[in-house]
Amino acid sequence: MMKKKHSIRKQFGGVVVGLVAGTVLACWLLNLTLLDVYYTKHKQNTLIGAFERIYSASADNKLTSSSFDVEFENICASGNVTVLIISPDGNVVRSTAYGVGELQRQFMEIILGSSGSGANDYDLKVIEQNDRYVMGQKKDARLDADYLILWGQLADGNLMLAQTPLESIKESAAVANRLLTYVGIFGVVVSVIITNLVIRKITTPILELSEISSRMCNLDFDAKYQVHGDNEIEQLGSHMNQLSDSLERTISELKSANIKLQEDIEKKEEVDQMRKEFLSNVSHELKTPIALIRGYAEGLQECVLDDPESREFYCDVIMDEAEKMNTMVKKLLTLNQLEFGNDEVAMERFDVTSVIRALVANSGILIEQNGITVRFEEPSVYVWADEYKTEEVLTNYLSNAIHYAAGEKRIEISYTQKAESVRISVFNTGSPIPEEDIPHIWTKFYKVDKARTREYGGNGIGLSIVKAIMESFHQDYGVINHEDGVEFYLELDQKTWE
């Protein structure tokens, strides 16, 4: 941990000191390489500026006026420029107060050189030249000094010569760099001291947060950050405290939930085992009597009894009971597959209205025999579900409605549109289901009216299959009592209405 503390401080310190030292070094290099060029360019601009101001005065015929005296002195003094203005016949129009004779001599040399083989013959290096002026650099061998010289013709026809000395910029740059070196060393030392103090103040809370986060990784939530302000680091510390509390609370809840889940798993395993044993025993016990009943029925049909009517009656009864038990076994097997997830759900898009119309048509004879009126006038509705299993649910609902319809003996099948689903309701007139029986009707083998159920061959498994199918769809289903009857419903995902 100490290694991390030293590392982050060294990194911060290295970055700050490196920036300071790099800035000083960059200034030193720029001063060494560019100061001479910058100084020369500044002097050139000074000469050009002086020429332009004097040229403008000559264009306004103010060159010899007393009002231009002060401005002329400012031009010469501010830029350390020596100026000579002469007329075409050689008379001095204006000049600085010193060096007039020397300037006239230089002017004549330049004019003569320009008319001859060129100004360079007189140790003059031309820097810039246009139709108004020529600027160059000249070395004075006597004084071992360099000068910038500009000469040209003014707007009124007079000739102008201006020069300014170039100081020893290299020596000035060396002095400046030496001073910059001392200042840089001092700045680096001061920056190291200040940086160390500042970084220590910044990194101390960061390292403390790192220590707290390390303890949190080991599920130690007792460590808390002491908040002393409202800056970003202090806010981070406050959030770390909140995170620590949330993690501790969440882990505690997860442990409690894990214990509860373990209990639920054990209970579910116990229930599942009981269910498997129950279904296995029922299936095993029913297969043998079914085989015997079928065997006797076949014997009776082979004229075991002498009385044809009795023989036919017993045959019909035995065959009917055998078929009922066989149906129960099939339903139990189907329910077993649904409850234990062995039956896959094949989701597809289909018209549920067509399915209902087919079921109503297939039950037409039974509906007519019971004197029941069926009302179903809904348009086509497309849903997403397992079509075979949906048909099984609707078959159970319609079968119950037919067998329990009473009073007006009316069955109504209707839709209720919701946001993303459709509710399909199957209502039949008759007696409501007792409220105490409603929670149990979905349990297998539970029968509200045992005599009535036995009468039409029910076995109490149909609604259990409905429950298993709808839960495999993850959709809502249920029953609602009305004053004049009972409504069973289911909901399916709906994509389009057509």
Side-chain angles (χ1 to χ4, degrees):
M1 196 64 191
M2 290 300 295
K3 183 177 180 180
K4 291 183 180 179
K5 291 182 180 180
H6 290 307
S7 175
I8 191 172
R9 286 174 178 169
K10 286 182 179 179
Q11 290 176 9
F12 270 111
V15 169
V16 175
V17 173
L19 288 174
V20 174
T23 303
V24 172
L25 180 62
C27 292
W28 187 83
L29 291 174
L30 291 174
N31 195 38
L32 184 65
T33 57
L34 300 180
L35 185 59
D36 189 14
V37 176
Y38 175 79
Y39 176 74
T40 302
K41 187 65 178 177
H42 173 70
K43 283 293 187 179
Q44 292 175 9
N45 292 335
T46 299
L47 280 182
I48 294 173
F51 176 79
E52 293 295 342
R53 291 171 67 181
I54 294 174
Y55 188 92
S56 177
S58 68
D60 296 337
N61 294 321
K62 296 180 180 180
L63 195 60
T64 57
S65 65
S66 58
S67 62
F68 187 66
D69 292 345
V70 176
E71 184 177 357
F72 183 76
E73 292 295 332
N74 289 335
I75 292 172
C76 298
S78 61
N80 192 20
V81 178
T82 302
V83 178
L84 173 64
I85 301 174
I86 59 177
S87 62
D89 55 7
N91 295 322
V92 176
V93 178
R94 270 193 183 277
S95 69
T96 53
Y98 54 92
V100 176
E102 180 62 22
L103 282 177
Q104 283 182 310
R105 182 185 65 78
Q106 292 182 16
F107 209 165
M108 294 305 297
E109 289 181 357
I110 290 171
I111 293 173
L112 291 175
S114 298
S115 62
S117 59
N120 287 329
D121 295 340
Y122 293 89
D123 196 20
L124 180 66
K125 177 183 177 182
V126 176
I127 298 174
E128 183 180 351
Q129 184 173 359
N130 54 43
D131 57 351
R132 294 172 60 186
Y133 62 83
V134 178
M135 182 167 57
Q137 184 173 343
K138 178 177 176 59
K139 184 175 183 62
D140 190 335
R142 294 175 303 167
L143 301 177
D144 191 22
D146 292 334
Y147 291 89
L148 282 178
I149 299 178
L150 183 146
W151 71 93
Q153 187 174 19
L154 300 176
D156 57 3
N158 293 324
L159 301 176
M160 172 184 166
L161 174 66
Q163 72 174 17
T164 182
L166 291 174
E167 305 292 344
S168 180
I169 193 62
K170 291 183 180 180
E171 181 179 353
S172 300
V175 173
N177 284 337
R178 192 177 302 114
L179 176 61
L180 188 60
T181 300
Y182 297 149
V183 172
I185 293 173
F186 177 76
V188 170
V189 172
V190 172
S191 68
V192 169
I193 297 173
I194 296 176
T195 300
N196 184 57
L197 296 175
V198 174
I199 290 177
R200 184 176 297 274
K201 184 176 181 180
I202 294 175
T203 57
T204 296
I206 295 177
L207 296 174
E208 184 179 348
L209 289 173
S210 177
E211 174 67 24
I212 293 174
S213 65
S214 177
R215 294 177 63 178
M216 288 174 61
C217 290
N218 296 321
L219 303 182
D220 180 5
F221 302 108
D222 293 332
K224 293 293 186 290
Y225 180 79
Q226 299 297 324
V227 181
H228 301 291
D230 59 353
N231 58 39
E232 288 81 357
I233 296 178
E234 301 302 320
Q235 291 177 6
L236 176 60
S238 176
H239 295 161
M240 286 284 287
N241 292 339
Q242 296 175 19
L243 177 61
S244 176
D245 294 337
S246 298
L247 284 176
E248 184 177 11
R249 183 170 56 254
T250 302
I251 291 175
S252 177
E253 292 174 355
L254 285 175
K255 288 182 178 179
S256 300
N258 187 51
I259 295 173
K260 182 66 169 58
L261 179 61
Q262 188 64 34
E263 294 176 353
D264 291 342
I265 290 174
E266 293 175 357
K267 186 180 296 184
K268 182 179 182 298
E269 290 176 349
E270 182 180 352
V271 172
D272 288 346
Q273 184 62 31
M274 293 173 61
R275 186 179 300 168
K276 289 178 181 178
E277 292 176 357
F278 170 77
L279 293 175
S280 177
N281 292 335
V282 170
S283 299
H284 177 74
E285 292 296 330
L286 288 179
K287 285 181 179 179
T288 301
I290 288 173
L292 292 174
I293 292 172
R294 284 185 176 274
Y296 280 111
E298 291 172 357
L300 289 173
Q301 287 180 336
E302 292 176 358
C303 299
V304 174
L305 296 177
D306 295 333
D307 183 3
E309 293 182 1
S310 299
R311 186 170 55 245
E312 187 67 25
F313 173 76
Y314 282 104
C315 286
D316 290 341
V317 171
I318 293 171
M319 293 298 292
D320 183 59
E321 290 298 319
E323 187 62 30
K324 289 178 182 179
M325 286 188 287
N326 189 39
T327 301
M328 183 177 66
V329 170
K330 290 180 179 179
K331 287 191 174 183
L332 283 171
L333 293 175
T334 300
L335 181 60
N336 185 56
Q337 289 182 333
L338 289 169
E339 288 182 336
F340 292 99
N342 297 326
D343 194 30
E344 295 184 358
V345 177
M347 301 300 288
E348 57 184 325
R349 185 172 180 266
F350 64 93
D351 184 0
V352 71
T353 301
S354 297
V355 174
I356 296 174
R357 286 174 180 165
L359 290 176
V360 173
N362 293 339
S363 303
I365 295 176
L366 189 58
I367 293 171
E368 184 178 352
Q369 288 176 348
N370 286 274
I372 298 172
T373 302
V374 178
R375 182 182 300 172
F376 178 57
E377 300 175 352
E378 296 292 344
S380 295
V381 172
Y382 286 85
V383 296
W384 281 95
D386 187 311
E387 184 174 357
Y388 173 77
K389 291 182 174 61
T390 302
E391 184 177 351
E392 180 74 15
V393 172
L394 292 169
T395 298
N396 277 284
Y397 280 178
L398 183 58
S399 177
N400 282 347
I402 291 173
H403 289 104
Y404 284 99
E408 297 181 14
K409 288 193 174 184
R410 185 180 77 255
I411 295 176
E412 295 181 0
I413 304 174
S414 60
Y415 297 157
T416 302
Q417 184 179 4
K418 295 192 172 184
E420 296 182 355
S421 64
V422 60
R423 171 176 285 193
I424 304 171
S425 299
V426 180
F427 169 81
N428 66 273
T429 58
S431 301
I433 300 174
E435 292 297 328
E436 64 272 12
D437 289 326
I438 288 180
H440 306 290
I441 63 174
W442 310 101
T443 304
K444 53 183 169 289
F445 298 119
Y446 188 85
K447 302 172 184 177
V448 176
D449 186 347
K450 296 179 175 58
R452 182 78 177 274
T453 303
R454 177 66 179 174
E455 180 182 341
Y456 76 84
N459 47 42
I461 301 176
L463 291 180
S464 299
I465 294 177
V466 170
K467 176 177 181 286
I469 290 175
M470 294 309 299
E471 289 181 353
S472 70
F473 288 175
H474 303 288
Q475 295 293 339
D476 192 19
Y477 64 98
V479 60
I480 302 173
N481 274 330
H482 296 275
E483 291 183 0
D484 57 344
V486 180
E487 172 192 351
F488 282 87
Y489 68 88
L490 70 151
E491 293 186 4
L492 298 174
D493 282 338
Q494 176 193 7
K495 299 303 178 183
T496 58
W497 282 79
E498 297 184 1

